[in-house]
Amino acid sequence: EPEVTQTPSHQVTQMGQEVILRCVPISNHLYFYWYRQILGQKVEFLVSFYNNEISEKSEIFDDQFSVERPDGSNFTLKIRSTKLEDSAMYFCASSARREGPYNEQFFGPGTRLTVL
Amino acid sequence: GNSVTQMEGPVTLSEEAFLTINCTYTATGYPSLFWYVQYPGEGLQLLLKATKADDKGSNKGFEATYRKETTSFHLEKGSVQVSDSAVYFCALKKVFGYIPTFGRGTSLIVHP
């Protein structure tokens, strides 16, 4: 069964460093998403991406964040200068459609980011 | 705005015990309601959903009923197994929306 994969499973970085979290969505999906969950808190929407551009973003997704689909398979989240409060689990998701039938989002296992 | 509140975990049960995980929501209009499950090392998976009041979603022995009068969508299972140990997330999507609003997740631990 097709699945969303994410690498690495755990990333440790120093404050101020740049990190890139990688995701491989399901191959025939067109819509891509990033969410995060700070430990003990809710899963929060960060950004959605379609047709090589951001379609929606939350207040959390500030100038420190960027997303890219560098090739036909990967979808990345970059944090330019990490802060302690960026420590969280980051989930990637993809869906075939945004609304209507086939709009179910399929989630990856997450990347745990620890900023020291 | 929209929000989802779940009971705190972890919930620890013995095998074959009855499970209830409470979920209440705040939303305008009539959202769709969901339960997702995350098994260790895996992504969130849609477990069940309900799209209108009094609908019952069910899957793998789990059930939840959309209760508009109490704004609740409690997850239940009559007899849990060790393999049900996971984190369960309640979520809603507003009408014409596509981004789920999630709760914090409730960890379920089932002992043999």
Side-chain angles (χ1 to χ4, degrees):
Chain A
E1 188 173 330
E3 59 183 13
V4 176
T5 59
Q6 291 185 242
T7 54
S9 56
H10 190 190
Q11 172 95 44
V12 181
T13 190
Q14 296 291 325
M15 191 168 55
Q17 295 296 303
E18 174 184 286
V19 293
I20 297 176
L21 309 183
R22 291 184 166 78
C23 169
V24 179
I26 292 173
S27 62
N28 63 345
H29 284 184
L30 301 176
Y31 297 84
F32 314 113
Y33 315 85
W34 283 102
Y35 296 80
R36 79 170 186 193
Q37 184 183 27
I38 295 171
L39 188 64
Q41 298 187 25
K42 301 184 178 187
V43 176
E44 302 170 294
F45 167 72
L46 293 178
V47 65
S48 63
F49 190 86
Y50 169 71
N51 200 25
N52 279 321
E53 58 184 32
I54 291 172
S55 46
E56 188 170 344
K57 61 182 181 179
S58 71
E59 293 174 353
I60 303 166
F61 194 87
D62 62 22
D63 292 344
Q64 291 297 312
F65 292 91
S66 62
V67 288
E68 192 179 29
R69 188 150 163 84
D71 52 44
S73 59
N74 289 283
F75 178 51
T76 61
L77 174 69
K78 181 192 292 186
I79 309 175
R80 254 179 278 282
S81 177
T82 50
K83 304 187 281 286
L84 295 176
E85 54 265 37
D86 294 327
S87 295
M89 180 73 89
Y90 288 81
F91 294 104
C92 173
S94 69
S95 64
R97 302 282 296 275
R98 201 181 77 165
E99 287 146 6
Y102 310 110
N103 72 340
E104 180 184 343
Q105 293 182 26
F106 291 80
F107 286 79
T111 292
R112 179 163 296 286
L113 176 65
T114 302
V115 182
L116 302 176
Chain B
N2 299 330
S3 68
V4 173
T5 302
Q6 291 182 234
M7 62 189 291
E8 297 262 346
V11 173
T12 305
L13 295 172
S14 298
E15 206 165 24
E16 299 184 3
F18 184 85
L19 168 72
T20 301
I21 300 179
N22 291 339
C23 171
T24 57
Y25 67 90
T26 302
T28 52
Y30 301 97
S32 296
L33 301 174
F34 305 81
W35 277 100
Y36 287 80
V37 59
Q38 185 182 26
Y39 299 104
E42 300 182 17
L44 280 75
Q45 302 171 25
L46 181 62
L47 179 61
L48 53 84
K49 66 180 182 183
T51 57
K52 61 183 189 295
D54 300 324
D55 265 4
K56 179 186 283 189
S58 61
N59 186 21
K60 299 182 181 180
F62 291 89
E63 292 183 340
T65 301
Y66 189 140
R67 300 282 187 207
K68 179 172 169 294
E69 63 277 13
T70 54
T71 62
S72 64
F73 193 56
H74 304 322
L75 182 68
E76 296 181 337
K77 186 175 186 183
S79 176
V80 292
Q81 305 300 311
V82 172
S83 57
D84 294 326
S85 298
V87 181
Y88 293 82
F89 293 86
C90 186
L92 67 83
K93 274 193 212 177
K94 58 185 181 182
V95 177
F96 305 121
Y98 65 98
I99 301 297
T101 298
F102 287 94
R104 296 186 179 198
T106 302
S107 175
L108 170 65
I109 301 168
V110 181
H111 293 295

